[in-house]
Amino acid sequence: MKQLKTVCPHDCPDTCSIIATVDDQGNVISTKGDPEHPFTRGALCSKVLRYAERVHSPERLLYPMRRSGPKGSGSFERISWEQALDEIADRLKQAVAKHGGETVYCLSGSGNMGLIQMNAHVPFFHKIGASRSRGDLCSPAADEGWNYTMGDMVGSRPESVADTDLLIVWGMNMASSNMHMLAFFKQAKKNGARMIVIDPYKNRTAKQADWYIPIRPGTDAALALGMMNVLVGEGLIDWPYIEKYTHGFDKLLQILPEYAPERVSAATGVPAEDIRRLARLYGQARAPFIRLGIGLSRSRRGGMSIRTIACLPGLVGAYHKPGGGALMFTGKAFPRRMEVLTRPDLMPGETRILDLVRFGHNLLHVAEPPITCLFVSGGNPALSCPDNNLVRQGLLRDDLFTVVHEQFMTDTARYADIVLPATTSFENFDVYKSYGHTYLQKAEPVIAPLGEARSNRDFYKALAEKMGFDDEVFTRPNEELALDLFPTLKQDEAKRAAFLSGKAIELTDWDDLLSGGFPTPSGKLEFYSERMARDGHPPLPAYLELPEEEGELHLLTPPAHFTLNTSFGAVAKLREQEGKPTLKIHPESARERGIEADEWIEVYNKRGTVRFWAQLTDDVPLGVAVAEGVWWTEHTPDNHSINVLTSDRLTDMGWGSTLHDNRVSIRKLT
Ligand SMILES: Nc1nc2c(c(=O)[nH]1)N[C@H]1C(S)=C(S)[C@@H](COP(=O)(O)OP(=O)(O)OC[C@H]3O[C@@H](n4cnc5c(=O)[nH]c(N)nc54)[C@H](O)[C@@H]3O)O[C@H]1N2
Ligand SMILES: Nc1nc2c(c(=O)[nH]1)N[C@H]1C(S)=C(S)[C@@H](COP(=O)(O)OP(=O)(O)OC[C@H]3O[C@@H](n4cnc5c(=O)[nH]c(N)nc54)[C@H](O)[C@@H]3O)O[C@H]1N2
Ligand code: SF4
Ligand SMILES: [Mo]
């Protein structure tokens, strides 16, 4: 029996350090949180406490397979890696000879956040001259909105929330998706700090809040502007800070009269008195901290909402108050040279760029050349991509050759021509940054690969060899790549030694990160952004109404507590804990339609129809419906993904998804 350290590979801001207990036969017996890691502090979420069940699931894919029945039927026969690689290389060469490199497309998801494995495919497809992606399903609007105000900067250190006296959780369900940061807030709470949650429904975090403020989806910019109106009107702002550290306050002042609490109330549904109270609490707090979620950014107004909220700390000088400020992502804490892994220089020239969010459309309607060779790596688009009926039609195309590298027989893998078994992170090397803390971690494999599973890196190395690509990026040792990726590790011997010995390290001193001012064009926090104007956005914070649409209910599709995207569908115990696919609706919405609790209902819009169990709860306001989680189709009443209902429209910034910005109708099943 051994205890070995590894890292949680999932797309979660907490990037935990895990201690795995491995028996003498090389099986993972159990997992627990690493008490020495400064952010994990010995705790894991309920999902990864069950990780042994995922790693050793009887449903793991262990061998390469070739399709033996109609597309999508899930019939496969076992083949060898050699056969698989030969067939893939042949098909690739034929496709490229006929249509050119851009006929090839790789959809890569966030199944494994390790930098080495997550990017292993990139140089390969650059070399082919394949079509590239822009945007993703997750966070590009949040990234871009934040950057317009703040520049590419960290914001406040996550742990510093322990010293706040007021935490505002804005569009995030921290209890499910950022529990380790919430644990730091518990310290502040002991000292009397309060937590306010602003969210369209009363999620798990809102249930723990001192004050829960329900807001109409997509109207957050209006609320933030209403707060600014009150802060300025009541003199609750920090003049010296504004003068020294911000840009464009005079211009901001000119628009604030448009956002009087009464007008903002009509847009947001938040009573005017509550807007005043919220602004006063914020302006009078000793060190107010705003934790911004990605959730509110997945809307056609998402980028602007984030950009606007990010202005608030600038008005009250919150970044200069220990325990105050705001946090979106911590990526800037990991200065890195991504080109070491991605090698854009291997591209034959500028290649075509496709919007990842419009995956179904791309498969069906993009021509000159059409996509005829598809690779899927670390993603499950047949469940997780919007306008899902379109995605599935695209995957069914007979003239599309699809290769899926996976750990499980996902919905996407069922559509493949060749399915290849992937290792889990417990079986391969990687290095992990984080988007919710500032510690870099390295993980050696803790067990041998199961069956014939290969890591992403080993797969693309073997395929590169078959294709006759001899660039050294395909064969360099993992650890060498990792050291090259982070220049700090080259320069700083002590950090390098600590990193190599498996310690979680910070690459950049915190004070250095903040000392350079704001990395915006003006060097200040930008209330007014010339760059936004150039990019075609309003240069000042703004509230723009969502256009009217068919459908009585605004559908939100946030994460479930006991799963993570689609990655835990095979762990039965977690599924049981999550319950079943329900649509949460207000009891009044149900009564109007004669719907009883716990009966099947149909949820529909112009994109399609999906069945759910009705869950009646006043956690959800009238006019809103909430479906938590993306269930595997085989666990739903009618074999459909929730994403049948979501649109492939893009966000206002960053080419992101608008998963929380869709209208639906519901009816009783007759
Ligand atoms: N309705 C709705 N849709 C959503 C969301 C939502 O909240 N609601 N969330 C969206 C968000 S934020 C995201 S990030 C996306 C996520 O969507 P995806 O990127 O598609 O991620 P997952 O659905 O988790 O699928 C990841 C797959 O990667 C596989 N995998 C894990 N590690 C490896 C590896 O090392 N190699 C290979 N080859 N495969 C591996 C896993 O087995 C898993 O099946 O979904 C989006 N879609
Ligand atoms: N347990 C669990 N943890 C996860 C995941 C998971 O699936 N399960 N997914 C992981 C991934 S890939 C990601 S990207 C992160 C996502 O983590 P978060 O940043 O938490 O983002 P979401 O979970 O998408 O959204 C959270 C909240 O945003 C709210 N929201 C939606 N629209 C609006 C709006 O217009 N205004 C406001 N104020 N709020 C709104 C939703 O109601 C929901 O409560 O979580 C990660 N962690
Ligand atoms: S999913 Fe998140 S909270 Fe759970 S172990 Fe992984 S990093 Fe930690
Ligand atoms: Mo995500």
Side-chain angles (χ1 to χ4, degrees), residues 296-583:
L296 82 145
S297 76
R298 294 193 195 108
S299 143
R300 281 167 294 168
R301 303 290 178 248
M304 185 55 101
S305 292
I306 299 278
R307 178 270 190 282
T308 303
I309 297 166
C311 290
L312 282 166
L315 285 180
V316 299
Y319 289 108
H320 279 194
K321 300 175 175 174
L327 177 67
M328 183 79 248
F329 302 114
T330 55
K332 184 70 189 304
F334 304 90
R336 56 199 181 276
R337 297 167 52 215
M338 283 307 289
E339 63 278 10
V340 169
L341 302 180
T342 59
R343 294 293 306 274
D345 59 297
L346 294 180
M347 273 190 280
E350 273 303 297
T351 47
R352 177 170 71 182
I353 296 181
L354 303 172
D355 291 324
L356 187 147
V357 171
R358 309 203 65 208
F359 180 59
H361 165 92
N362 296 340
L363 290 181
L364 289 170
H365 302 302
V366 158
E368 295 178 16
I371 299 171
T372 63
C373 245
L374 171 71
F375 288 70
V376 178
S377 174
N380 188 5
L383 275 186
S384 49
C385 270
D387 214 342
N388 208 255
N389 279 335
L390 222 57
V391 170
R392 282 163 185 264
Q393 267 178 48
L395 289 170
L396 271 175
R397 260 177 52 202
D398 266 334
D399 58 340
L400 179 71
F401 176 69
T402 303
V403 177
V404 177
H405 188 207
E406 248 303 342
Q407 298 162 346
F408 292 93
M409 185 51 75
T410 57
D411 277 82
T412 311
R414 276 183 226 285
Y415 288 94
D417 293 280
I418 302 277
V419 177
L420 301 168
T423 47
T424 67
S425 61
F426 280 41
E427 296 146 62
N428 58 44
F429 175 94
D430 225 319
V431 1
Y432 298 86
K433 64 177 182 64
S434 170
Y435 62 98
H437 66 63
T438 51
Y439 301 93
L440 182 73
Q441 304 171 80
K442 174 185 88 127
E444 298 288 343
V446 296
I447 56 169
L450 263 62
E452 294 180 7
R454 289 192 188 179
S455 69
N456 295 2
R457 186 116 207 285
D458 288 344
F459 163 43
Y460 283 101
K461 180 176 162 189
L463 193 58
E465 201 178 309
K466 284 277 177 218
M467 296 293 288
F469 300 165
D470 57 4
D471 307 81
E472 62 158 2
V473 64
F474 299 115
T475 51
R476 291 183 73 189
N478 287 321
E479 197 168 277
E480 195 182 302
L481 279 178
L483 288 176
D484 236 17
L485 177 61
F486 297 103
T488 322
L489 294 179
K490 288 227 145 157
Q491 292 147 13
D492 188 327
E493 204 171 310
K495 280 196 174 146
R496 186 169 66 241
F499 170 75
L500 290 176
S501 76
K503 285 212 168 63
I505 58 161
E506 286 190 298
L507 287 172
T508 314
D509 291 330
W510 189 256
D511 290 341
D512 292 348
L513 276 174
L514 295 181
S515 63
F518 293 87
T520 54
S522 65
K524 298 182 173 184
L525 185 152
E526 298 203 342
F527 295 132
Y528 183 88
S529 162
E530 280 87 3
R531 196 155 62 92
M532 289 186 82
R534 270 201 308 280
D535 293 349
H537 303 296
L540 283 164
Y543 166 60
L544 304 166
E545 265 176 54
L546 287 173
E548 286 282 316
E549 246 178 284
E550 254 176 69
E552 314 87 74
L553 301 174
H554 187 114
L555 175 69
L556 300 173
T557 64
H561 186 75
F562 292 102
T563 60
L564 193 138
N565 301 328
T566 74
S567 288
F568 286 82
V571 184
K573 274 274 161 21
L574 292 173
R575 246 182 5 247
E576 276 167 32
Q577 279 175 287
E578 193 56 43
K580 55 190 181 186
T582 63
L583 188 78

Side-chain angles (χ1 to χ4, degrees), residues 649-666:
R649 277 183 312 224
L650 301 174
T651 43
D652 50 353
M653 300 172 193
W655 303 282
S657 69
T658 50
L659 293 164
H660 297 317
D661 181 5
N662 296 284
R663 309 289 303 183
V664 291
S665 300
I666 56 174

